[in-house]
Amino acid sequence: MTTTLRHEGKTALVTGGSRGIGQAISRRLAREGALVAVHYGYNHEAAERTVKEIEAEGGRAFPVHAELGVPGDADTLWEAFDRALADRGAQPGVDILVNNAGITMPRPIAQVTEAEYDRVFAVNAKAPFFIIQRALDRLRDGGRIVNVSSVATRVAFPAIVAYTMTKAALDYLTLSLAQELGPRGITVNTVAPGYTETEINPTLSIPEIRQRYSQASVFSRLGTPVDIADVVSFVASDDARWVTGQWIDASGGVHLGV
Ligand code: NAP
């Protein structure tokens, strides 16, 4: 059996598709045939670079700009997406929606300000909620929603408590929507990375922290964005048609035991 071009004929939107885990997801989906909307918020160059890399690999992609975490963000995103598809003469609509964009909030409860709390919820929980709400009419039957959560909702991480709460909200959104969208053949799943080498984790440049995070995995290494993208691509494919409402750990088995 071949797994190549399993997303042929599909259109995908990857939020935060320009850098880190989202970039690897965008590349993987495009390599397997999807037309990919590479969403970004601030770093236009990174989005352009990702689109160029995809095209160099023979794939199809275009950038979509929308700052998330501000009023009207979901509408801005979908209007830009619709416009870009129309400009390309592509069919309107989407088959694969990956809610990946996110920010961290590395503070224990005593140090989190109200503004920081609101910000991390606005980007990580509110934005995906309304992106999905505005996607319901655009998402074709048989489609896929993949929410990128975190292994932080599986174990206690007091140092990032507000961040973890946003991901827990996303986890529950997955469960509810899987029930609601099942009659349309749409699957909704969560993929939860562990310690993954991206720019969201500047402390990974500190050797002691790097070593501690690596050793938390049963494989004694950090995750790479590609490790996560491979799982997302499977969940987004027809091979995963019988999997919905699930929280899928893609952490390399971090914190499995003592
Ligand atoms: P990253 O390297 O920092 O990339 C974040 C992506 O999200 C970028 O494309 C960024 O676009 C976009 N983004 C962030 N804030 C945005 C905003 N307000 N509006 C629009 N776009 C925004 O992060 P990552 O490590 O790949 O993380 C991706 C997802 O995985 C996140 O949901 C994160 O919580 C989750 N996760 C990561 C890890 C890890 O160890 N890396 C572990 C568990 C879960 P711009 O560049 O334009 O800002």
Side-chain angles (χ1 to χ4, degrees):
M1 194 184 80
T2 176
T3 55
T4 53
L5 298 189
R6 59 182 172 180
H7 304 307
E8 186 79 63
K10 308 288 188 197
T11 301
L13 168 63
V14 182
T15 70
S18 57
R19 294 192 293 112
I21 292 169
Q23 185 211 42
I25 295 170
S26 298
R27 288 179 72 171
R28 175 77 201 242
L29 295 179
R31 207 176 311 129
E32 295 188 289
L35 169 62
V36 179
V38 175
H39 162 262
Y40 70 101
Y42 305 98
N43 189 335
H44 178 73
E45 275 176 20
E48 286 290 346
R49 199 164 46 241
T50 299
V51 167
K52 286 211 168 65
E53 280 166 5
I54 287 171
E55 288 171 347
E57 291 169 347
R60 296 174 306 141
F62 56 89
V64 171
H65 174 249
E67 179 181 2
L68 303 182
V70 296
D73 51 5
D75 286 329
T76 306
L77 171 67
W78 284 116
E79 281 161 19
F81 174 85
D82 293 346
R83 231 178 6 253
L85 280 186
D87 288 349
R88 298 176 65 89
Q91 282 284 101
V94 64
D95 303 283
I96 300 167
L97 168 61
V98 184
N99 282 301
N100 161 80
I103 55 171
T104 187
M105 183 53 61
R107 306 202 208 306
I109 186 167
Q111 290 172 20
V112 177
T113 67
E114 244 182 277
E116 287 168 342
Y117 179 97
D118 287 345
R119 173 72 181 159
V120 74
F121 267 83
V123 176
N124 291 6
K126 185 177 176 187
F129 181 94
F130 286 101
I131 289 169
I132 294 172
Q133 185 195 70
R134 297 329 200 240
L136 292 175
D137 292 340
R138 292 172 169 91
L139 200 58
R140 278 184 273 279
D141 289 359
R144 299 280 182 268
I145 298 175
V146 185
N147 294 321
V148 178
S149 177
S150 167
V151 80
T153 65
R154 168 159 69 72
V155 287
F157 277 105
I160 51 170
V161 59
Y163 167 83
T164 304
M165 289 170 68
T166 67
K167 294 300 187 181
L170 204 54
D171 292 352
Y172 190 75
L173 183 61
T174 292
L175 192 58
S176 295
L177 287 175
Q179 176 86 8
E180 180 169 342
L181 299 180
R184 293 180 53 193
I186 296 170
T187 71
V188 189
N189 289 289
T190 292
V191 171
Y195 304 107
T196 312
E197 197 140 14
T198 72
E199 290 166 355
I200 211 173
N201 283 324
T203 56
L204 288 179
S205 57
I206 303 167
E208 302 79 58
I209 291 185
R210 209 182 158 77
Q211 196 189 19
R212 179 151 33 98
Y213 288 177
S214 300
Q215 286 174 353
S217 160
V218 297
F219 303 121
S220 299
R221 69 165 174 86
L222 297 171
T224 66
V226 169
D227 290 328
I228 318 304
D230 290 354
V231 178
V232 171
S233 178
F234 163 68
V235 170
S237 75
D238 187 56
D239 290 346
R241 63 195 168 279
W242 208 232
V243 178
T244 195
Q246 298 308 297
W247 189 92
I248 298 163
D249 189 296
S251 74
V254 299
H255 305 302
L256 284 185
V258 286

